Amino acid sequence: MKIGVLVSEGPYTHQASDSAYNFVKAALEKGHEIYRVFFYHDGVNNATRFTEPPRDDRNIVNRWSELGKQYNLDMVVCIAAAQRRGIMDENEAKRQGKSGDNIAEGFRISGLGQLVEAGIQCDRLVTFGD
Amino acid sequence: MLHIVNKSPFERNTLESCLRLATKGSAVLLTEDAVYAATTGSAAEGKIKAAMADLKIYALSPDLQARGMAGRVMDGVNLVDYGGFVDLVTEHSNCQSWL
Amino acid sequence: MTDEMDMEEGGVIKKFMFVNRKAPYGTIYALEGLEVVLISAAFEQDVSMAFIDDGVYELAKGQDTKAIGQKNFSPTYRALEGYDIEKLYVDQKSLDERGLTEADLLVDVQVMDSAELAAMMAEQDVLISF
């Protein structure tokens, strides 16, 4: 089945990103297609590669990047929500005159339409948030 | 329809709203802090018991275990892991997360 | 992405319900939720919004945010009609619990009892909650 996932909270403060990760991993292992993981609200903070948790803690951002790489996931960060919260890719940083970008590997920044489009294309859309 | 609840019944009214607006035959999956609602002896027990007449109640095992509640699950609550969570999503035609 | 767009042009129309359960200003969910609703209008889907629990406060008349330094986005609800988003469902019980009536709301809505709203939710293809 074709499943879309919406992640509405950032890493660590809420369990939402962990739950979404475990759900996505289980779905992939069962042979389902994860059409897209869309990061919205504070969920965009899952996409900063500047995250550096203590060594004995999980690295939520890297974990998404690795899963994304393994399964070629489409992990989309909402541009409007990202701009509010300072998540930028190289193009956006240049456009805004910022000294550097911080987006982690495997994530891409795009519009909110990608969420609606996932709702249209997927058999199911599951939201993880607070 | 699958309803997903992730809030403790002692912190928010999420579970209550979900149970009120779930149609007969729907499934309710308790995850994260909502798993406390599935435990015996809590003030939410009556609500869940009453809901079982019309709804199928599930709780996410990994969240119960993490919170030390695995041994306190009330009868009639069905336990699932993340794979079971995925199955619930695919078996029901739509789902609502009560954030 | 091209074949997806073809499918959309092929006329896949799904029932989308945006479920609003959070009050405005205290958190960003109501505002960013509204942004998704506005974007969804471009996809020509069957869109509705449900206002439940504190979500009904989003529609309260007389919002004035000057003194808290946030943008008052409540006029946007009145603009939804211009986007052909006219299905605004309000939960009667949530209004009652808050001492509100339809007359306290800034836009025309359809007030529903629990059974009506439950049935409406059950028939959706995609539910996105904020």
Side-chain angles (χ1 to χ4, degrees):
Chain A
M1 213 172 237
K2 212 186 266 192
I3 302 172
V5 170
L6 168 60
V7 181
S8 297
E9 294 297 337
Y12 303 106
T13 303
H14 298 280
Q15 199 186 339
S17 183
D18 293 287
S19 296
Y21 174 84
N22 287 318
F23 175 88
V24 166
K25 195 160 172 283
L28 291 165
E29 282 163 3
K30 278 180 168 279
H32 295 293
E33 177 193 347
I34 295 293
Y35 179 77
R36 179 169 297 143
V37 184
F38 192 86
F39 296 86
Y40 195 43
H41 303 302
D42 279 359
V44 299
N45 291 320
N46 286 288
T48 169
R49 68 166 189 272
F50 289 174
T51 306
E52 210 51 69
R55 286 198 178 278
D56 60 350
D57 199 355
R58 74 249 188 252
N59 188 320
I60 293 180
V61 176
N62 287 357
R63 213 168 51 175
W64 277 116
S65 290
E66 283 154 19
L67 194 68
K69 197 170 188 179
Q70 187 185 347
Y71 288 96
N72 197 23
L73 292 179
D74 189 21
M75 303 195 294
V76 179
V77 178
C78 168
I79 186 161
Q83 284 172 336
R84 280 197 178 105
R85 295 162 178 87
I87 304 296
M88 302 210 169
D89 60 13
E90 204 183 333
N91 283 339
E92 186 60 16
K94 254 186 213 148
R95 211 166 67 84
Q96 304 284 353
K98 306 286 182 188
S99 56
D101 67 274
N102 59 349
I103 197 160
E105 194 186 345
F107 293 87
R108 68 183 177 94
I109 292 183
S110 188
L112 263 179
Q114 298 276 300
L115 170 60
V116 180
E117 195 252 356
I120 296 169
Q121 299 299 335
C122 292
D123 300 304
R124 303 285 184 274
L125 182 70
V126 190
T127 305
F128 294 86
D130 184 49
Chain B
M1 181 167 178
L2 173 67
H3 296 266
I4 303 164
V5 178
N6 72 341
K7 290 294 166 321
S8 162
F10 305 107
E11 193 210 351
R12 298 208 208 160
N13 68 341
T14 310
L15 177 68
E16 218 156 303
S17 295
C18 165
L19 295 179
R20 176 166 65 86
L21 294 169
T23 51
K24 201 179 160 108
S26 298
V28 176
L29 171 62
L30 306 170
T31 71
E32 300 179 0
D33 288 349
V35 298
Y36 293 118
T39 59
T40 52
S42 94
E45 189 174 10
K47 267 177 224 164
I48 294 289
K49 280 254 153 71
M52 281 175 187
D54 288 333
L55 307 170
K56 198 126 200 238
I57 310 290
Y58 298 84
L60 197 68
S61 259
D63 280 327
L64 282 160
Q65 288 160 11
R67 289 161 176 80
M69 294 292 135
R72 307 179 64 109
V73 181
M74 68 176 81
D75 287 344
V77 172
N78 305 279
L79 301 183
V80 293
D81 58 10
Y82 287 103
F85 184 171
V86 172
D87 293 340
L88 284 173
V89 166
T90 58
E91 286 161 10
H92 294 86
S93 58
N94 59 1
C95 63
Q96 146 79 358
S97 295
W98 290 85
L99 305 179
Chain C
M1 217 53 86
T2 33
D3 40 349
E4 286 147 18
M5 288 302 146
D6 288 342
M7 264 184 77
E8 198 213 321
E9 279 161 17
V12 181
I13 294 181
K14 284 192 171 182
K15 286 180 181 232
F16 273 73
M17 179 182 271
F18 295 99
V19 181
N20 297 268
R21 292 184 54 251
K22 308 268 169 75
Y25 312 118
T27 59
I28 200 169
Y29 303 107
L31 170 63
E32 286 189 330
L34 199 49
E35 289 176 354
V36 182
V37 175
L38 293 173
I39 294 284
S40 75
F43 288 80
E44 297 183 344
Q45 300 295 300
D46 182 358
V47 173
S48 63
M49 295 177 80
F51 297 88
I52 305 169
D53 296 323
D54 281 352
V56 301
Y57 286 131
E58 294 176 26
L59 302 178
K61 277 180 185 165
Q63 297 176 36
D64 178 356
T65 57
K66 277 195 240 34
I68 62 165
Q70 287 193 34
K71 184 178 151 192
N72 178 0
F73 58 90
S74 66
T76 311
Y77 295 101
R78 276 200 293 263
L80 288 170
E81 204 181 353
Y83 289 83
D84 288 327
I85 295 167
E86 292 168 329
K87 294 176 178 172
L88 307 184
Y89 307 135
V90 172
D91 177 38
Q92 176 81 63
K93 185 159 191 277
S94 301
L95 283 180
D96 293 347
E97 283 170 348
R98 287 159 183 78
L100 298 174
T101 68
E102 212 175 327
D104 297 309
L105 307 182
L106 50 75
V107 69
D108 286 337
V109 299
Q110 199 175 334
V111 178
M112 291 186 168
D113 65 26
S114 302
E116 286 174 299
L117 189 54
M120 196 57 87
M121 291 178 89
E123 69 175 43
Q124 301 300 313
D125 295 306
V126 182
L127 297 115
I128 299 181
S129 49
F130 301 110

